[in-house]
Amino acid sequence: MFGKIVIMALVMLLTSCDKPQETHEEDRLTYSFRDESPALTQHIATIVEDAKALKYQTALNKLALLSATRTLTKEQKYAVDTLARQLRYDMEEKIFTERQELELKDE
């Protein structure tokens, strides 16, 4: 019981900390599309807003659609893939934390 409480406290602490890599990945995406049309840069800004608002599924769907409908440069592809990977990780962490909290409540 005590071990689970300690683990849960650590998980909550780690997930509540600011994640500087998130901002870095979002900035990388914005920067990689800096020379594109205003409409596309606005679309990228919307994806970044969704990511910052923790709308994981929405941001991931928009990134997937972007990848499927445009020919990306190497820099853009890397930025899209990296942000998508970070969003999936964050989404999994959120799900894991919620499950851990439910398990602790059930005990």
Side-chain angles (χ1 to χ4, degrees):
M1 175 77 177
F2 180 72
K4 286 185 178 182
I5 292 172
V6 170
I7 291 172
M8 187 59 198
L10 286 172
V11 167
M12 289 175 67
L13 177 65
L14 291 174
T15 58
S16 67
C17 294
D18 288 337
K19 296 179 182 177
Q21 72 273 15
E22 283 180 5
T23 301
H24 180 70
E25 304 310 342
E26 293 158 354
D27 290 344
R28 177 179 287 144
L29 182 70
T30 302
Y31 185 76
S32 70
F33 285 89
R34 70 192 174 281
D35 296 329
E36 298 293 333
S37 70
L40 183 55
T41 54
Q42 179 55 45
H43 183 64
I44 297 301
T46 302
I47 294 171
V48 169
E49 288 172 16
D50 289 341
K52 287 181 179 180
L54 307 181
K55 296 179 182 177
Y56 302 118
Q57 199 61 50
T58 302
L60 286 167
N61 288 344
K62 288 178 182 178
L63 287 171
L65 187 59
L66 179 68
S67 292
T69 59
R70 294 194 50 88
T71 301
L72 303 177
T73 66
K74 185 177 179 180
E75 179 186 21
Q76 291 169 340
K77 182 170 178 21
Y78 181 75
V80 167
D81 291 345
T82 304
L83 181 57
R85 195 173 316 116
Q86 185 63 49
L87 289 171
R88 280 191 299 272
Y89 174 82
D90 290 346
M91 187 169 60
E92 290 169 0
E93 283 296 311
K94 179 182 175 189
I95 292 167
F96 174 76
T97 301
E98 289 170 353
R99 285 183 183 164
Q100 290 292 326
E101 288 172 356
L102 284 175
E103 288 177 6
L104 286 175
K105 286 181 183 179
D106 289 342
E107 290 181 358

